[in-house]
Amino acid sequence: MRLSESPEPSEHYIFSDSRTMVLECGIEWDSLPERNPVERERRAAHRAVRALAALCEGLIRPTTFGVTRSWVDEYHLPVDGVPPRWNWWMRTPQAPPDARSRYVDPQVVEATTLDERSMLTLVDRVLDDPCEPPEGTHLAWDEMVVDHTWARLPEPDRHIGIEDGELRIDDHDNKARRVLIPLDRAHGDSWVTVPETMVWCPFLLRVDRSCGTAYPDGLDYDEFIELTIDVNWSFWWHPGEGRAMLDRAVNRVLRQGWRHAHPPTSLR
């Protein structure tokens, strides 16, 4: 449908480009060179999962979770080639029927729900799966991705008008207005996700390695990991209860020892 033929625009919409927050965490290895490198990987990976779980609590319902792994040298730099079964992907029954891993050749794991426990279980499987590393390298997790999500609508909020059990918002990415949004009501809350014909779920989450930006670069931190939060719908970005929900979720992660990698992006 062309914009000129569309009905009046809704107050809320799906962005054409994500609005992004980036958090980072510095990790100390306590200068213990004898520590098993895979156990170091596990410690960092568990830290990442705990941050994802804290962020999602009461706000985001993940339906897929991907983890990739790689070979790295003693300086944690990637080397040529990839381990066998390098791409692991967990899905729940609520995932879209056409949901796929963003990478090829996934090891698919089915789960009833995606929460801290199930994500930790997958991470441990990724790191414990037997494979012989090339000389001078060790196995490392590379990236964690949550790219299919539901999100809880802010209530009450004057911007939201759900009539006859329907919610319609504009989709700037596809240049469409008043698009019907899937709704799921549970325990008095309303959850939403992307319609089948569209691209952007409410949130996309990614954790990977970082060089560090907010922390001083010194001996205090031996490694950095980075959490990228892509906000794709205006409910949780513009001022209002939805933005307050996101800010509270981010504050839970900050209380775990993470920091903003860059000054918080101003509202638009």
Side-chain angles (χ1 to χ4, degrees), residues 117-136:
R117 181 175 180 179
S118 59
M119 289 190 287
L120 287 174
T121 297
L122 183 64
V123 162
D124 286 340
R125 287 186 64 177
V126 169
L127 294 175
D128 293 336
D129 182 68
C131 55
E132 188 66 30
E135 185 176 355

Side-chain angles (χ1 to χ4, degrees), residues 130-151:
C131 55
E132 188 66 30
E135 185 176 355
T137 72
H138 70 268
L139 185 67
W141 66 275
D142 189 47
E143 181 185 58
M144 301 181 191
V145 178
V146 173
D147 54 7
H148 297 89
T149 59
W150 288 71

Side-chain angles (χ1 to χ4, degrees), residues 49-110:
V49 167
R50 287 195 295 271
L52 286 171
L55 181 73
C56 290
E57 181 183 343
L59 174 62
I60 301 168
R61 185 192 297 163
T63 64
T64 64
F65 175 56
V67 183
T68 58
R69 62 183 191 172
S70 62
W71 303 126
V72 297
D73 63 20
E74 61 179 312
Y75 302 107
H76 211 94
L77 296 174
V79 300
D80 292 337
V82 294
R85 300 171 299 281
W86 64 277
N87 176 24
W88 295 69
W89 191 70
M90 179 177 283
R91 61 170 295 149
T92 72
Q94 269 205 311
D98 60 347
R100 300 289 185 273
S101 169
R102 62 174 61 185
Y103 301 117
V104 300
D105 195 26
Q107 306 297 308
V108 179
V109 179
E110 303 288 344

Side-chain angles (χ1 to χ4, degrees), residues 162-220:
I162 303 177
E163 300 175 0
D164 301 323
E166 293 185 352
L167 172 66
R168 294 179 181 271
I169 64 174
D170 295 343
D171 178 10
H172 286 191
D173 183 59
N174 287 296
K175 299 180 175 60
R177 287 182 176 163
R178 302 194 64 77
V179 177
L180 181 63
I181 300 300
L183 274 171
D184 179 33
R185 297 184 184 277
H187 308 295
D189 296 321
S190 297
W191 295 78
V192 292
T193 193
V194 66
E196 291 183 8
T197 57
M198 297 175 188
V199 177
W200 298 117
C201 285
F203 291 90
L204 303 179
L205 311 175
R206 187 179 75 253
V207 185
D208 49 22
R209 310 290 177 162
S210 167
C211 294
T213 59
Y215 294 89
D217 186 13
L219 298 177
D220 290 340

